[in-house]
């Protein structure tokens, strides 16, 4: 049975991806600091393994993924992140630090854990950036700058891992109606363009990873052949 581990896998796109991979017959591990935060019922899924883990803690993440994988990990999706849609002057140091840790450090940690498990065996690492990384403009938020760093790191690790049989993929979601996006917009996404559901996003990502794409753009305009 193939295996996939998803950091940030208990909510939003991560949880939708977990369900998609379960439906495809994978053994799935998901982790976050507070797995029960959104009240999902994990019990019906025989091949789902849920862990409380902080993805910014390299040792804890390594121990968790090693416990789950038992030496075999086919796909690791670095989905842990933090989103605040505000300019730097409107958010606190604590919020900025959380975005740097959860978007950049957590991605680096996932890439390093995967190196140990996948080298000489092969595998796929998918790092979630943002569609906003394509827009280099002066008014970009700290979130966008963090995700641009994630993209740069992804490209660097792709080069480093290419001779080890490890594929490194960058995923760029547009607006996805996750609980966090809903919260930041008072449950009104009418002013956001091309919003899709987490399930729709997961379908696009799943097919992109399966097809071996190095870059996956996730928005309403993408078409998926089922």
């Amino acid at each position: 049975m193939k295996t996939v581990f998803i950091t940030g896998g208990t909510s939003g796109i991560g949880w939708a991806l977990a369900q998609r991979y379960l439906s495809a017959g994978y053994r799935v591990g998901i982790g976050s600091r507070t797995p029960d935060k959104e009240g999902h019922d994990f019990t019906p899924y025989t091949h789902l393994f849920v862990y409380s883990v902080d993805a910014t803690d390299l040792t804890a993440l390594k121990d968790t993924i090693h416990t789950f994988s038992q030496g075999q990990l086919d796909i690791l999706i670095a989905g842990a992140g933090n989103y605040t849609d505000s300019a730097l002057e409107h958010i606190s140091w604590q919020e900025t630090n959380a975005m740097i840790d959860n978007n950049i450090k957590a991605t680096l940690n996932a890439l390093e854990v995967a190196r140990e498990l996948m080298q000489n065996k092969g595998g796929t690492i998918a790092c979630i950036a943002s569609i906003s990384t394509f827009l280099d403009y002066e008014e970009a938020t700290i979130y966008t700058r963090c995700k641009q760093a994630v993209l740069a790191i992804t490209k660097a690790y792709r080069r480093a891992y290419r001779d080890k049989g490890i594929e490194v993929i960058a995923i760029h979601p547009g607006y996805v109606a996750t609980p966090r996006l809903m919260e930041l917009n008072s449950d009104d996404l009418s002013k956001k363009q091309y919003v899709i559901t987490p399930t729709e996003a997961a379908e696009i990502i799943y097919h992109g990873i399966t097809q071996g794409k190095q870059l996956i753009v996730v928005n309403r305009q993408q078409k998926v052949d089922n």
Side-chain angles (χ1 to χ4, degrees):
M1 180 179 288
K2 290 187 175 181
T3 59
V4 56
F5 192 94
I6 306 166
T7 66
T10 62
S11 65
I13 296 173
W15 174 232
L17 278 166
Q19 293 174 89
R20 183 63 184 86
Y21 276 99
L22 286 165
S23 72
Y26 279 69
R27 184 171 175 267
V28 178
I30 57 176
S32 71
R33 289 189 186 93
T34 52
D36 297 324
K37 182 178 180 180
E38 293 183 8
H40 298 303
D41 182 8
F42 302 125
T43 55
Y45 303 99
T46 305
H47 299 298
L48 177 67
F49 299 82
V50 184
Y51 300 90
S52 176
V53 61
D54 181 352
T56 68
D57 183 332
L58 177 58
T59 300
L61 186 65
K62 183 185 299 185
D63 290 346
T64 297
I65 296 179
H66 275 264
T67 297
F68 163 74
S69 68
Q70 300 174 16
Q72 178 192 339
L73 185 64
D74 297 290
I75 301 170
L76 176 56
I77 300 176
N82 183 286
Y83 175 60
T84 299
D85 188 19
S86 296
L88 188 57
E89 62 269 24
H90 300 304
I91 60 177
S92 67
W93 177 90
Q94 288 83 0
E95 289 172 308
T96 301
N97 194 56
M99 273 193 282
I100 291 170
D101 273 358
N102 289 291
N103 291 300
I104 301 174
K105 187 177 180 180
T107 300
L108 275 170
N109 287 350
L111 285 159
E112 283 302 313
V113 173
R115 183 209 299 260
E116 295 182 13
L117 284 167
M118 293 180 178
Q119 71 177 349
N120 303 321
K121 297 179 182 179
T124 299
I125 311 164
C127 302
I128 297 186
S130 168
I131 204 168
S132 68
T133 60
F134 299 128
L135 303 174
D136 188 13
Y137 57 102
E138 291 186 2
E139 300 300 315
T141 64
I142 187 67
Y143 171 79
T144 293
R145 296 305 186 194
C146 285
K147 289 302 189 181
Q148 287 173 339
V150 168
L151 177 58
I153 291 165
T154 300
K155 289 179 177 179
Y157 272 80
R158 181 183 299 145
R159 177 184 179 278
Y161 288 178
R162 66 188 176 195
D163 296 327
K164 303 180 187 301
I166 303 172
E167 297 292 332
V168 184
I169 296 170
I171 300 171
H172 299 271
Y175 285 120
V176 180
T178 62
R180 179 60 174 158
L181 186 64
M182 297 292 289
E183 177 188 349
L184 289 171
N185 290 273
S186 301
D187 293 332
D188 181 10
L189 302 182
S190 60
K191 294 182 180 179
K192 303 294 185 184
Q193 290 187 320
Y194 307 118
V195 179
I196 62 176
T197 67
T199 300
E200 290 171 322
E203 192 70 16
I204 294 168
I205 294 167
Y206 172 83
H207 282 274
I209 292 174
T210 301
Q211 293 163 14
K213 293 182 177 180
Q214 287 191 344
L215 185 151
I216 304 170
V217 177
V218 184
N219 64 18
R220 174 64 66 187
Q221 295 170 309
Q222 300 303 305
K223 304 296 183 182
V224 177
D225 296 323
N226 294 313

